[in-house]
mmCIF file with all atom_site columns, all heavy atoms in Angstrom:
data_model
loop_
_atom_site.group_PDB
_atom_site.id
_atom_site.type_symbol
_atom_site.label_atom_id
_atom_site.label_alt_id
_atom_site.label_comp_id
_atom_site.label_asym_id
_atom_site.label_entity_id
_atom_site.label_seq_id
_atom_site.pdbx_PDB_ins_code
_atom_site.Cartn_x
_atom_site.Cartn_y
_atom_site.Cartn_z
_atom_site.occupancy
_atom_site.B_iso_or_equiv
_atom_site.pdbx_formal_charge
_atom_site.auth_seq_id
_atom_site.auth_comp_id
_atom_site.auth_asym_id
_atom_site.auth_atom_id
_atom_site.pdbx_PDB_model_num
ATOM 1   N N   . ASN A 1 1  ? 121.548 95.987  75.896 1.00 95.00 ? 1  ASN A N   1
ATOM 2   C CA  . ASN A 1 1  ? 121.986 95.665  77.264 1.00 95.00 ? 1  ASN A CA  1
ATOM 3   C C   . ASN A 1 1  ? 120.782 95.644  78.215 1.00 95.00 ? 1  ASN A C   1
ATOM 4   O O   . ASN A 1 1  ? 120.744 96.360  79.208 1.00 95.00 ? 1  ASN A O   1
ATOM 5   C CB  . ASN A 1 1  ? 123.015 96.729  77.690 1.00 95.00 ? 1  ASN A CB  1
ATOM 6   C CG  . ASN A 1 1  ? 123.746 96.354  78.962 1.00 95.00 ? 1  ASN A CG  1
ATOM 7   O OD1 . ASN A 1 1  ? 123.595 95.254  79.478 1.00 95.00 ? 1  ASN A OD1 1
ATOM 8   N ND2 . ASN A 1 1  ? 124.513 97.289  79.484 1.00 95.00 ? 1  ASN A ND2 1
ATOM 9   N N   . SER A 1 2  ? 119.770 94.814  77.862 1.00 98.00 ? 2  SER A N   1
ATOM 10  C CA  . SER A 1 2  ? 118.536 94.840  78.666 1.00 98.00 ? 2  SER A CA  1
ATOM 11  C C   . SER A 1 2  ? 118.249 93.476  79.276 1.00 98.00 ? 2  SER A C   1
ATOM 12  O O   . SER A 1 2  ? 118.632 92.443  78.723 1.00 98.00 ? 2  SER A O   1
ATOM 13  C CB  . SER A 1 2  ? 117.353 95.278  77.802 1.00 98.00 ? 2  SER A CB  1
ATOM 14  O OG  . SER A 1 2  ? 117.114 94.343  76.767 1.00 98.00 ? 2  SER A OG  1
ATOM 15  N N   . GLU A 1 3  ? 117.581 93.500  80.428 1.00 98.00 ? 3  GLU A N   1
ATOM 16  C CA  . GLU A 1 3  ? 117.109 92.253  81.042 1.00 98.00 ? 3  GLU A CA  1
ATOM 17  C C   . GLU A 1 3  ? 115.632 92.406  81.372 1.00 98.00 ? 3  GLU A C   1
ATOM 18  O O   . GLU A 1 3  ? 115.163 93.493  81.709 1.00 98.00 ? 3  GLU A O   1
ATOM 19  C CB  . GLU A 1 3  ? 117.934 91.899  82.282 1.00 98.00 ? 3  GLU A CB  1
ATOM 20  C CG  . GLU A 1 3  ? 118.131 93.014  83.290 1.00 98.00 ? 3  GLU A CG  1
ATOM 21  C CD  . GLU A 1 3  ? 119.158 92.650  84.359 1.00 98.00 ? 3  GLU A CD  1
ATOM 22  O OE1 . GLU A 1 3  ? 120.344 92.954  84.160 1.00 98.00 ? 3  GLU A OE1 1
ATOM 23  O OE2 . GLU A 1 3  ? 118.752 92.087  85.395 1.00 98.00 ? 3  GLU A OE2 1
ATOM 24  N N   . LEU A 1 4  ? 114.899 91.290  81.250 1.00 98.00 ? 4  LEU A N   1
ATOM 25  C CA  . LEU A 1 4  ? 113.439 91.334  81.337 1.00 98.00 ? 4  LEU A CA  1
ATOM 26  C C   . LEU A 1 4  ? 112.928 90.421  82.448 1.00 98.00 ? 4  LEU A C   1
ATOM 27  O O   . LEU A 1 4  ? 113.360 89.277  82.560 1.00 98.00 ? 4  LEU A O   1
ATOM 28  C CB  . LEU A 1 4  ? 112.849 90.891  79.985 1.00 98.00 ? 4  LEU A CB  1
ATOM 29  C CG  . LEU A 1 4  ? 111.357 90.585  79.897 1.00 98.00 ? 4  LEU A CG  1
ATOM 30  C CD1 . LEU A 1 4  ? 110.507 91.793  80.275 1.00 98.00 ? 4  LEU A CD1 1
ATOM 31  C CD2 . LEU A 1 4  ? 110.999 90.105  78.485 1.00 98.00 ? 4  LEU A CD2 1
ATOM 32  N N   . TYR A 1 5  ? 112.010 90.958  83.254 1.00 98.00 ? 5  TYR A N   1
ATOM 33  C CA  . TYR A 1 5  ? 111.342 90.180  84.304 1.00 98.00 ? 5  TYR A CA  1
ATOM 34  C C   . TYR A 1 5  ? 109.837 90.323  84.140 1.00 98.00 ? 5  TYR A C   1
ATOM 35  O O   . TYR A 1 5  ? 109.333 91.440  84.013 1.00 98.00 ? 5  TYR A O   1
ATOM 36  C CB  . TYR A 1 5  ? 111.745 90.678  85.705 1.00 98.00 ? 5  TYR A CB  1
ATOM 37  C CG  . TYR A 1 5  ? 113.198 90.445  86.006 1.00 98.00 ? 5  TYR A CG  1
ATOM 38  C CD1 . TYR A 1 5  ? 114.152 91.372  85.596 1.00 98.00 ? 5  TYR A CD1 1
ATOM 39  C CD2 . TYR A 1 5  ? 113.619 89.298  86.665 1.00 98.00 ? 5  TYR A CD2 1
ATOM 40  C CE1 . TYR A 1 5  ? 115.502 91.156  85.842 1.00 98.00 ? 5  TYR A CE1 1
ATOM 41  C CE2 . TYR A 1 5  ? 114.972 89.069  86.923 1.00 98.00 ? 5  TYR A CE2 1
ATOM 42  C CZ  . TYR A 1 5  ? 115.902 90.006  86.506 1.00 98.00 ? 5  TYR A CZ  1
ATOM 43  O OH  . TYR A 1 5  ? 117.238 89.781  86.737 1.00 98.00 ? 5  TYR A OH  1
ATOM 44  N N   . PHE A 1 6  ? 109.138 89.194  84.188 1.00 98.00 ? 6  PHE A N   1
ATOM 45  C CA  . PHE A 1 6  ? 107.671 89.224  84.183 1.00 98.00 ? 6  PHE A CA  1
ATOM 46  C C   . PHE A 1 6  ? 107.160 88.952  85.591 1.00 98.00 ? 6  PHE A C   1
ATOM 47  O O   . PHE A 1 6  ? 107.750 88.157  86.329 1.00 98.00 ? 6  PHE A O   1
ATOM 48  C CB  . PHE A 1 6  ? 107.112 88.142  83.244 1.00 98.00 ? 6  PHE A CB  1
ATOM 49  C CG  . PHE A 1 6  ? 107.180 88.517  81.795 1.00 98.00 ? 6  PHE A CG  1
ATOM 50  C CD1 . PHE A 1 6  ? 108.016 87.829  80.925 1.00 98.00 ? 6  PHE A CD1 1
ATOM 51  C CD2 . PHE A 1 6  ? 106.406 89.551  81.290 1.00 98.00 ? 6  PHE A CD2 1
ATOM 52  C CE1 . PHE A 1 6  ? 108.078 88.172  79.575 1.00 98.00 ? 6  PHE A CE1 1
ATOM 53  C CE2 . PHE A 1 6  ? 106.469 89.905  79.950 1.00 98.00 ? 6  PHE A CE2 1
ATOM 54  C CZ  . PHE A 1 6  ? 107.296 89.210  79.095 1.00 98.00 ? 6  PHE A CZ  1
ATOM 55  N N   . ILE A 1 7  ? 106.058 89.616  85.946 1.00 98.00 ? 7  ILE A N   1
ATOM 56  C CA  . ILE A 1 7  ? 105.404 89.359  87.229 1.00 98.00 ? 7  ILE A CA  1
ATOM 57  C C   . ILE A 1 7  ? 104.000 88.843  86.944 1.00 98.00 ? 7  ILE A C   1
ATOM 58  O O   . ILE A 1 7  ? 103.240 89.458  86.189 1.00 98.00 ? 7  ILE A O   1
ATOM 59  C CB  . ILE A 1 7  ? 105.344 90.634  88.106 1.00 98.00 ? 7  ILE A CB  1
ATOM 60  C CG1 . ILE A 1 7  ? 106.763 91.165  88.389 1.00 98.00 ? 7  ILE A CG1 1
ATOM 61  C CG2 . ILE A 1 7  ? 104.621 90.355  89.414 1.00 98.00 ? 7  ILE A CG2 1
ATOM 62  C CD1 . ILE A 1 7  ? 106.817 92.439  89.214 1.00 98.00 ? 7  ILE A CD1 1
ATOM 63  N N   . ASP A 1 8  ? 103.670 87.699  87.539 1.00 97.00 ? 8  ASP A N   1
ATOM 64  C CA  . ASP A 1 8  ? 102.357 87.079  87.317 1.00 97.00 ? 8  ASP A CA  1
ATOM 65  C C   . ASP A 1 8  ? 101.242 87.830  88.043 1.00 97.00 ? 8  ASP A C   1
ATOM 66  O O   . ASP A 1 8  ? 101.490 88.510  89.041 1.00 97.00 ? 8  ASP A O   1
ATOM 67  C CB  . ASP A 1 8  ? 102.372 85.622  87.823 1.00 97.00 ? 8  ASP A CB  1
ATOM 68  C CG  . ASP A 1 8  ? 102.853 84.685  86.726 1.00 97.00 ? 8  ASP A CG  1
ATOM 69  O OD1 . ASP A 1 8  ? 102.694 85.033  85.535 1.00 97.00 ? 8  ASP A OD1 1
ATOM 70  O OD2 . ASP A 1 8  ? 103.401 83.621  87.050 1.00 97.00 ? 8  ASP A OD2 1
ATOM 71  N N   . LYS A 1 9  ? 100.025 87.641  87.532 1.00 97.00 ? 9  LYS A N   1
ATOM 72  C CA  . LYS A 1 9  ? 98.835  88.268  88.137 1.00 97.00 ? 9  LYS A CA  1
ATOM 73  C C   . LYS A 1 9  ? 99.064  89.767  88.321 1.00 97.00 ? 9  LYS A C   1
ATOM 74  O O   . LYS A 1 9  ? 98.870  90.331  89.397 1.00 97.00 ? 9  LYS A O   1
ATOM 75  C CB  . LYS A 1 9  ? 98.497  87.605  89.479 1.00 97.00 ? 9  LYS A CB  1
ATOM 76  C CG  . LYS A 1 9  ? 98.123  86.135  89.305 1.00 97.00 ? 9  LYS A CG  1
ATOM 77  C CD  . LYS A 1 9  ? 97.650  85.515  90.588 1.00 97.00 ? 9  LYS A CD  1
ATOM 78  C CE  . LYS A 1 9  ? 97.232  84.071  90.361 1.00 97.00 ? 9  LYS A CE  1
ATOM 79  N NZ  . LYS A 1 9  ? 96.995  83.352  91.579 1.00 97.00 ? 9  LYS A NZ  1
ATOM 80  N N   . CYS A 1 10 ? 99.489  90.392  87.246 1.00 97.00 ? 10 CYS A N   1
ATOM 81  C CA  . CYS A 1 10 ? 99.859  91.807  87.326 1.00 97.00 ? 10 CYS A CA  1
ATOM 82  C C   . CYS A 1 10 ? 99.602  92.455  85.971 1.00 97.00 ? 10 CYS A C   1
ATOM 83  O O   . CYS A 1 10 ? 99.913  91.878  84.923 1.00 97.00 ? 10 CYS A O   1
ATOM 84  C CB  . CYS A 1 10 ? 101.343 91.895  87.700 1.00 97.00 ? 10 CYS A CB  1
ATOM 85  S SG  . CYS A 1 10 ? 101.993 93.558  87.616 1.00 97.00 ? 10 CYS A SG  1
ATOM 86  N N   . GLY A 1 11 ? 99.035  93.667  85.991 1.00 96.00 ? 11 GLY A N   1
ATOM 87  C CA  . GLY A 1 11 ? 98.676  94.386  84.775 1.00 96.00 ? 11 GLY A CA  1
ATOM 88  C C   . GLY A 1 11 ? 99.715  95.410  84.344 1.00 96.00 ? 11 GLY A C   1
ATOM 89  O O   . GLY A 1 11 ? 100.919 95.160  84.360 1.00 96.00 ? 11 GLY A O   1
ATOM 90  N N   . HIS A 1 12 ? 99.237  96.612  84.023 1.00 95.00 ? 12 HIS A N   1
ATOM 91  C CA  . HIS A 1 12 ? 100.029 97.644  83.337 1.00 95.00 ? 12 HIS A CA  1
ATOM 92  C C   . HIS A 1 12 ? 100.862 98.507  84.294 1.00 95.00 ? 12 HIS A C   1
ATOM 93  O O   . HIS A 1 12 ? 101.701 99.269  83.842 1.00 95.00 ? 12 HIS A O   1
ATOM 94  C CB  . HIS A 1 12 ? 99.043  98.513  82.541 1.00 95.00 ? 12 HIS A CB  1
ATOM 95  C CG  . HIS A 1 12 ? 99.688  99.510  81.631 1.00 95.00 ? 12 HIS A CG  1
ATOM 96  N ND1 . HIS A 1 12 ? 100.601 99.159  80.658 1.00 95.00 ? 12 HIS A ND1 1
ATOM 97  C CD2 . HIS A 1 12 ? 99.542  100.872 81.541 1.00 95.00 ? 12 HIS A CD2 1
ATOM 98  C CE1 . HIS A 1 12 ? 100.981 100.251 80.008 1.00 95.00 ? 12 HIS A CE1 1
ATOM 99  N NE2 . HIS A 1 12 ? 100.359 101.293 80.525 1.00 95.00 ? 12 HIS A NE2 1
ATOM 100 N N   . ALA A 1 13 ? 100.601 98.398  85.587 1.00 94.00 ? 13 ALA A N   1
ATOM 101 C CA  . ALA A 1 13 ? 101.315 99.262  86.548 1.00 94.00 ? 13 ALA A CA  1
ATOM 102 C C   . ALA A 1 13 ? 101.877 98.418  87.702 1.00 94.00 ? 13 ALA A C   1
ATOM 103 O O   . ALA A 1 13 ? 101.398 98.483  88.824 1.00 94.00 ? 13 ALA A O   1
ATOM 104 C CB  . ALA A 1 13 ? 100.369 100.341 87.081 1.00 94.00 ? 13 ALA A CB  1
ATOM 105 N N   . PRO A 1 14 ? 102.922 97.600  87.421 1.00 96.00 ? 14 PRO A N   1
ATOM 106 C CA  . PRO A 1 14 ? 103.453 96.688  88.446 1.00 96.00 ? 14 PRO A CA  1
ATOM 107 C C   . PRO A 1 14 ? 103.868 97.377  89.742 1.00 96.00 ? 14 PRO A C   1
ATOM 108 O O   . PRO A 1 14 ? 103.695 96.825  90.825 1.00 96.00 ? 14 PRO A O   1
ATOM 109 C CB  . PRO A 1 14 ? 104.665 96.047  87.764 1.00 96.00 ? 14 PRO A CB  1
ATOM 110 C CG  . PRO A 1 14 ? 104.382 96.142  86.296 1.00 96.00 ? 14 PRO A CG  1
ATOM 111 C CD  . PRO A 1 14 ? 103.616 97.426  86.134 1.00 96.00 ? 14 PRO A CD  1
ATOM 112 N N   . MET A 1 15 ? 104.393 98.608  89.643 1.00 96.00 ? 15 MET A N   1
ATOM 113 C CA  . MET A 1 15 ? 104.873 99.286  90.865 1.00 96.00 ? 15 MET A CA  1
ATOM 114 C C   . MET A 1 15 ? 103.717 99.654  91.792 1.00 96.00 ? 15 MET A C   1
ATOM 115 O O   . MET A 1 15 ? 103.912 99.892  92.972 1.00 96.00 ? 15 MET A O   1
ATOM 116 C CB  . MET A 1 15 ? 105.728 100.513 90.519 1.00 96.00 ? 15 MET A CB  1
ATOM 117 C CG  . MET A 1 15 ? 105.023 101.707 89.946 1.00 96.00 ? 15 MET A CG  1
ATOM 118 S SD  . MET A 1 15 ? 104.380 101.456 88.281 1.00 96.00 ? 15 MET A SD  1
ATOM 119 C CE  . MET A 1 15 ? 103.316 102.891 88.155 1.00 96.00 ? 15 MET A CE  1
ATOM 120 N N   . MET A 1 16 ? 102.481 99.677  91.249 1.00 95.00 ? 16 MET A N   1
ATOM 121 C CA  . MET A 1 16 ? 101.293 99.924  92.079 1.00 95.00 ? 16 MET A CA  1
ATOM 122 C C   . MET A 1 16 ? 100.671 98.614  92.550 1.00 95.00 ? 16 MET A C   1
ATOM 123 O O   . MET A 1 16 ? 100.247 98.474  93.678 1.00 95.00 ? 16 MET A O   1
ATOM 124 C CB  . MET A 1 16 ? 100.213 100.665 91.279 1.00 95.00 ? 16 MET A CB  1
ATOM 125 C CG  . MET A 1 16 ? 100.455 102.108 91.030 1.00 95.00 ? 16 MET A CG  1
ATOM 126 S SD  . MET A 1 16 ? 99.131  102.780 89.981 1.00 95.00 ? 16 MET A SD  1
ATOM 127 C CE  . MET A 1 16 ? 97.817  103.068 91.178 1.00 95.00 ? 16 MET A CE  1
ATOM 128 N N   . GLU A 1 17 ? 100.617 97.643  91.610 1.00 95.00 ? 17 GLU A N   1
ATOM 129 C CA  . GLU A 1 17 ? 99.834  96.435  91.869 1.00 95.00 ? 17 GLU A CA  1
ATOM 130 C C   . GLU A 1 17 ? 100.601 95.400  92.703 1.00 95.00 ? 17 GLU A C   1
ATOM 131 O O   . GLU A 1 17 ? 100.015 94.734  93.548 1.00 95.00 ? 17 GLU A O   1
ATOM 132 C CB  . GLU A 1 17 ? 99.392  95.819  90.534 1.00 95.00 ? 17 GLU A CB  1
ATOM 133 C CG  . GLU A 1 17 ? 98.297  94.799  90.709 1.00 95.00 ? 17 GLU A CG  1
ATOM 134 C CD  . GLU A 1 17 ? 97.481  94.558  89.434 1.00 95.00 ? 17 GLU A CD  1
ATOM 135 O OE1 . GLU A 1 17 ? 97.889  94.985  88.329 1.00 95.00 ? 17 GLU A OE1 1
ATOM 136 O OE2 . GLU A 1 17 ? 96.423  93.942  89.550 1.00 95.00 ? 17 GLU A OE2 1
ATOM 137 N N   . VAL A 1 18 ? 101.894 95.266  92.425 1.00 97.00 ? 18 VAL A N   1
ATOM 138 C CA  . VAL A 1 18 ? 102.714 94.288  93.175 1.00 97.00 ? 18 VAL A CA  1
ATOM 139 C C   . VAL A 1 18 ? 104.010 94.964  93.622 1.00 97.00 ? 18 VAL A C   1
ATOM 140 O O   . VAL A 1 18 ? 105.102 94.577  93.220 1.00 97.00 ? 18 VAL A O   1
ATOM 141 C CB  . VAL A 1 18 ? 103.023 93.036  92.308 1.00 97.00 ? 18 VAL A CB  1
ATOM 142 C CG1 . VAL A 1 18 ? 101.840 92.100  92.231 1.00 97.00 ? 18 VAL A CG1 1
ATOM 143 C CG2 . VAL A 1 18 ? 103.469 93.420  90.912 1.00 97.00 ? 18 VAL A CG2 1
ATOM 144 N N   . PRO A 1 19 ? 103.896 96.009  94.467 1.00 97.00 ? 19 PRO A N   1
ATOM 145 C CA  . PRO A 1 19 ? 105.066 96.818  94.793 1.00 97.00 ? 19 PRO A CA  1
ATOM 146 C C   . PRO A 1 19 ? 106.210 96.027  95.433 1.00 97.00 ? 19 PRO A C   1
ATOM 147 O O   . PRO A 1 19 ? 107.376 96.300  95.153 1.00 97.00 ? 19 PRO A O   1
ATOM 148 C CB  . PRO A 1 19 ? 104.528 97.895  95.739 1.00 97.00 ? 19 PRO A CB  1
ATOM 149 C CG  . PRO A 1 19 ? 103.208 97.396  96.214 1.00 97.00 ? 19 PRO A CG  1
ATOM 150 C CD  . PRO A 1 19 ? 102.681 96.507  95.139 1.00 97.00 ? 19 PRO A CD  1
ATOM 151 N N   . ASP A 1 20 ? 105.883 95.032  96.260 1.00 97.00 ? 20 ASP A N   1
ATOM 152 C CA  . ASP A 1 20 ? 106.965 94.308  96.957 1.00 97.00 ? 20 ASP A CA  1
ATOM 153 C C   . ASP A 1 20 ? 107.844 93.563  95.953 1.00 97.00 ? 20 ASP A C   1
ATOM 154 O O   . ASP A 1 20 ? 109.071 93.646  96.009 1.00 97.00 ? 20 ASP A O   1
ATOM 155 C CB  . ASP A 1 20 ? 106.392 93.334  98.001 1.00 97.00 ? 20 ASP A CB  1
ATOM 156 C CG  . ASP A 1 20 ? 105.694 94.090  99.137 1.00 97.00 ? 20 ASP A CG  1
ATOM 157 O OD1 . ASP A 1 20 ? 105.883 95.318  99.218 1.00 97.00 ? 20 ASP A OD1 1
ATOM 158 O OD2 . ASP A 1 20 ? 104.965 93.461  99.927 1.00 97.00 ? 20 ASP A OD2 1
ATOM 159 N N   . GLU A 1 21 ? 107.201 92.836  95.037 1.00 98.00 ? 21 GLU A N   1
ATOM 160 C CA  . GLU A 1 21 ? 107.971 92.100  94.018 1.00 98.00 ? 21 GLU A CA  1
ATOM 161 C C   . GLU A 1 21 ? 108.743 93.064  93.121 1.00 98.00 ? 21 GLU A C   1
ATOM 162 O O   . GLU A 1 21 ? 109.903 92.834  92.778 1.00 98.00 ? 21 GLU A O   1
ATOM 163 C CB  . GLU A 1 21 ? 107.015 91.273  93.156 1.00 98.00 ? 21 GLU A CB  1
ATOM 164 C CG  . GLU A 1 21 ? 106.960 89.813  93.535 1.00 98.00 ? 21 GLU A CG  1
ATOM 165 C CD  . GLU A 1 21 ? 106.042 89.034  92.610 1.00 98.00 ? 21 GLU A CD  1
ATOM 166 O OE1 . GLU A 1 21 ? 104.821 89.023  92.881 1.00 98.00 ? 21 GLU A OE1 1
ATOM 167 O OE2 . GLU A 1 21 ? 106.530 88.471  91.628 1.00 98.00 ? 21 GLU A OE2 1
ATOM 168 N N   . PHE A 1 22 ? 108.068 94.140  92.742 1.00 98.00 ? 22 PHE A N   1
ATOM 169 C CA  . PHE A 1 22 ? 108.693 95.144  91.873 1.00 98.00 ? 22 PHE A CA  1
ATOM 170 C C   . PHE A 1 22 ? 109.952 95.703  92.531 1.00 98.00 ? 22 PHE A C   1
ATOM 171 O O   . PHE A 1 22 ? 111.019 95.780  91.910 1.00 98.00 ? 22 PHE A O   1
ATOM 172 C CB  . PHE A 1 22 ? 107.682 96.280  91.615 1.00 98.00 ? 22 PHE A CB  1
ATOM 173 C CG  . PHE A 1 22 ? 108.166 97.317  90.632 1.00 98.00 ? 22 PHE A CG  1
ATOM 174 C CD1 . PHE A 1 22 ? 107.846 97.211  89.284 1.00 98.00 ? 22 PHE A CD1 1
ATOM 175 C CD2 . PHE A 1 22 ? 108.933 98.395  91.046 1.00 98.00 ? 22 PHE A CD2 1
ATOM 176 C CE1 . PHE A 1 22 ? 108.294 98.167  88.372 1.00 98.00 ? 22 PHE A CE1 1
ATOM 177 C CE2 . PHE A 1 22 ? 109.388 99.348  90.142 1.00 98.00 ? 22 PHE A CE2 1
ATOM 178 C CZ  . PHE A 1 22 ? 109.061 99.232  88.805 1.00 98.00 ? 22 PHE A CZ  1
ATOM 179 N N   . ASN A 1 23 ? 109.839 96.069  93.808 1.00 98.00 ? 23 ASN A N   1
ATOM 180 C CA  . ASN A 1 23 ? 110.966 96.688  94.522 1.00 98.00 ? 23 ASN A CA  1
ATOM 181 C C   . ASN A 1 23 ? 112.146 95.734  94.664 1.00 98.00 ? 23 ASN A C   1
ATOM 182 O O   . ASN A 1 23 ? 113.303 96.147  94.563 1.00 98.00 ? 23 ASN A O   1
ATOM 183 C CB  . ASN A 1 23 ? 110.516 97.187  95.898 1.00 98.00 ? 23 ASN A CB  1
ATOM 184 C CG  . ASN A 1 23 ? 109.571 98.378  95.803 1.00 98.00 ? 23 ASN A CG  1
ATOM 185 O OD1 . ASN A 1 23 ? 109.452 99.000  94.735 1.00 98.00 ? 23 ASN A OD1 1
ATOM 186 N ND2 . ASN A 1 23 ? 108.863 98.684  96.871 1.00 98.00 ? 23 ASN A ND2 1
ATOM 187 N N   . VAL A 1 24 ? 111.855 94.456  94.886 1.00 98.00 ? 24 VAL A N   1
ATOM 188 C CA  . VAL A 1 24 ? 112.938 93.462  95.022 1.00 98.00 ? 24 VAL A CA  1
ATOM 189 C C   . VAL A 1 24 ? 113.727 93.350  93.712 1.00 98.00 ? 24 VAL A C   1
ATOM 190 O O   . VAL A 1 24 ? 114.961 93.368  93.702 1.00 98.00 ? 24 VAL A O   1
ATOM 191 C CB  . VAL A 1 24 ? 112.358 92.077  95.428 1.00 98.00 ? 24 VAL A CB  1
ATOM 192 C CG1 . VAL A 1 24 ? 113.377 90.969  95.229 1.00 98.00 ? 24 VAL A CG1 1
ATOM 193 C CG2 . VAL A 1 24 ? 111.894 92.107  96.887 1.00 98.00 ? 24 VAL A CG2 1
#
């Protein structure tokens, strides 16, 4: 029961590197 999202131009810590996209 999983869903997957990729974020571009982003490494191993998305919540640090692209917090706005991650939070949305």
Side-chain angles (χ1 to χ4, degrees):
N1 192 7
S2 63
E3 49 190 91
L4 168 60
Y5 294 85
F6 282 113
I7 300 178
D8 272 334
K9 297 186 178 170
C10 172
H12 188 56
M15 71 291 167
M16 285 176 81
E17 195 158 13
V18 282
D20 294 347
E21 260 182 275
F22 185 94
N23 291 346
V24 165

